[in-house]
Amino acid sequence: MRVWYAEAGRADWKSPADIKAAHRNASFLANNRVVFNIKGNDFRLVAAVHYNRGMMFVRFVGTHAEYDRIDAATI
């Protein structure tokens, strides 16, 4: 998590393509949500991305089982 947080803090992601270039396993959902696999895919992190503002808000962090119980596009 610390590594992801540090990288995201330095990143200048202007589009989904920018994120995909850095995180090829990232998944993109409705409402500008991006799902990142953390720690070798043991955990999932869902972020709401505001590309025009250069901001990202972490909306969820949890295991795959916990992720399966949420609606990642609306969380």
Side-chain angles (χ1 to χ4, degrees):
M1 281 299 303
R2 290 181 187 157
V3 171
W4 179 89
Y5 184 81
E7 180 184 347
R10 290 187 308 270
D12 186 25
W13 295 326
K14 300 286 187 198
S15 70
D18 292 340
I19 293 174
K20 198 66 165 175
H23 295 275
R24 64 182 178 88
N25 292 322
S27 300
F28 300 89
L29 307 176
N31 299 322
N32 288 324
R33 298 301 196 269
V34 181
V35 180
F36 295 91
N37 295 318
I38 305 294
K39 193 182 171 254
N41 210 16
D42 287 342
F43 296 93
R44 294 232 168 139
L45 181 148
V46 178
V49 182
H50 295 268
Y51 297 102
N52 59 335
R53 295 182 189 153
M55 299 175 76
M56 180 179 290
F57 298 94
V58 174
R59 305 296 297 157
F60 169 84
V61 177
T63 65
H64 278 268
E66 293 167 330
Y67 173 83
D68 289 341
R69 293 191 298 261
I70 66 164
D71 181 359
T74 61
I75 194 166

